[in-house]
Amino acid sequence: MIKEINRKSMIIRPSGRSTDFISPSFGYGCLYNCSYCYMKRHKPKGLDIAKNTMDILTEINNHCMFADVDKPNQTHADYTTYDISCNEDFALHAKYHEWEKIFDFFKEHPVAMGSFATKYVNPELTSYNPEGKIRIRFSLMPQSMSDELEPNTSKIIDRIKAIDAFIDAGYDVHINFSPVIVTCNWLEEYEYLFHMVNDYVDYKNVVKAEVIFLTHNEYKHHYNLTNDISGENLLWNPEIQEDKVSQYGGKNIRYKHNLKAQYINEWTKLHDNIISWNTIRYIF
């Protein structure tokens, strides 16, 4: 169900990793049904679309003109970066948004830059040239995991092939390796994935990466089981996971810290052996 609303909350939160800040939500919810999605913990069904687009852009403008951000930093050398899609998949939902107006705002702004992660290759977006002021982060994981955890999303090979196409169109493009999930043969699957990236990405001097290992949620775990949503055998493995209280509340589990350090080292070594050109902005 798609519902139009007027966004009332205009809170801009620090991000600090993927972007400098997280903007007020243009959309809240998602029409995908990924097993691990944290948004589904709060809104299991439906999508709210904010129709007061200009109010949100005005808030971003007012914020960024006075934001205390040291540049350069790892999010961008020059611009103050805003995640405009923390609570949705913007590329998937673009047809419900005034997306060109939003992109125009960032394209023309002297300070602010927009960014969002996506699992959907939306060819309509390539008709627009944001002149490097919109960053798309294509989310990647091994296809076998995606088949089970991300039903109906764009195929991994299509996301990889889209990287060059979107750079040609004028976008800043990074890779979002998220969530990284540990299984019995996870490194073999990531080896194949890294070779695919190496084979199909030509713009090796500009494509960077962010890497986020799985954090799962107890409520979402029980919701998945109750609603026959697949993937809990991959997501919920308490023998290698430990409790974690999230920054904004909620009981989650993540890989045990000593094991996670080992997993990060193994993953990074494999990554750097195959696609060392793909600079890792951050990993946790």
Side-chain angles (χ1 to χ4, degrees), residues 36 119 121 139-161 177-179 181 183 185-194 196-197 230 234:
Y36 54 78
K119 303 175 187 71
V121 178
S139 298
L140 300 183
M141 63 168 52
Q143 185 63 59
S144 63
M145 296 182 188
S146 180
D147 287 341
E148 185 162 5
L149 301 174
E150 303 174 340
N152 302 314
T153 59
S154 294
K155 292 297 184 182
I156 297 299
I157 186 59
D158 293 331
R159 300 182 212 177
I160 294 172
K161 290 180 177 180
F177 290 108
S178 171
I181 298 171
T183 66
N185 64 335
W186 68 298
L187 291 176
E188 289 85 352
E189 294 202 75
Y190 271 98
E191 180 178 8
Y192 184 74
L193 175 62
F194 294 153
M196 287 171 57
V197 172
S230 67
L234 299 176

Side-chain angles (χ1 to χ4, degrees), residues 66-260:
F66 299 98
D68 184 15
V69 181
D70 291 329
K71 291 292 177 178
N73 64 21
Q74 63 87 13
T75 74
H76 198 276
D78 302 308
Y79 299 122
T80 302
T81 53
Y82 290 83
D83 192 326
I84 65 172
S85 181
C86 186
N87 294 316
E88 64 165 332
D89 189 312
F90 192 91
L92 176 66
H93 304 150
K95 65 182 178 181
Y96 302 111
H97 291 296
E98 298 176 284
W99 67 268
E100 290 172 302
K101 181 184 292 187
I102 296 169
F103 287 11
D104 283 343
F105 167 83
F106 288 104
K107 178 178 178 177
E108 297 164 5
H109 202 282
V111 177
M113 176 180 182
S115 178
F116 59 90
T118 184
K119 303 175 187 71
Y120 177 57
V121 178
N122 186 342
E124 184 178 357
L125 300 184
T126 60
S127 66
Y128 182 98
N129 181 359
E131 298 180 2
K133 293 297 297 298
I134 296 291
R135 174 180 293 157
I136 293 183
R137 291 132 45 212
F138 283 107
S139 298
L140 300 183
M141 63 168 52
Q143 185 63 59
S144 63
M145 296 182 188
S146 180
D147 287 341
E148 185 162 5
L149 301 174
E150 303 174 340
N152 302 314
T153 59
S154 294
K155 292 297 184 182
I156 297 299
I157 186 59
D158 293 331
R159 300 182 212 177
I160 294 172
K161 290 180 177 180
I163 292 173
D164 282 356
F166 274 78
I167 293 175
D168 283 335
Y171 290 85
D172 184 46
V173 182
H174 286 183
I175 293 172
N176 174 38
F177 290 108
S178 171
V180 177
I181 298 171
V182 177
T183 66
C184 61
N185 64 335
W186 68 298
L187 291 176
E188 289 85 352
E189 294 202 75
Y190 271 98
E191 180 178 8
Y192 184 74
L193 175 62
F194 294 153
H195 280 296
M196 287 171 57
V197 172
N198 195 52
D199 290 343
Y200 288 100
V201 175
D202 289 333
Y203 291 104
K204 293 179 170 59
N205 59 324
V206 297
V207 178
K208 298 182 180 181
E210 55 191 20
V211 188
I212 306 170
F213 275 69
L214 172 70
T215 297
H216 198 33
N217 176 264
E218 185 175 24
Y219 168 79
K220 187 66 167 72
H221 167 63
H222 292 299
Y223 180 89
N224 288 350
L225 293 177
T226 301
N227 292 276
D228 295 322
I229 296 173
S230 67
E232 284 306 306
N233 59 310
L234 299 176
L235 303 175
W236 189 265
N237 293 293
E239 67 276 9
I240 59 171
Q241 294 167 321
E242 63 186 4
D243 291 341
K244 173 186 182 293
V245 177
S246 71
Q247 180 181 359
Y248 298 103
K251 185 177 179 182
N252 302 327
I253 62 170
R254 63 181 175 187
Y255 297 117
K256 294 178 180 178
H257 69 279
N258 58 325
L259 292 177
K260 186 174 180 179

Side-chain angles (χ1 to χ4, degrees), residues 5-10 24-28 48 50-52 56:
I5 64 169
N6 280 318
R7 173 68 57 216
K8 295 180 179 179
S9 174
M10 292 291 172
S25 297
F26 292 95
Y28 190 80
D48 294 344
K51 299 311 294 180
N52 52 335
I56 298 174

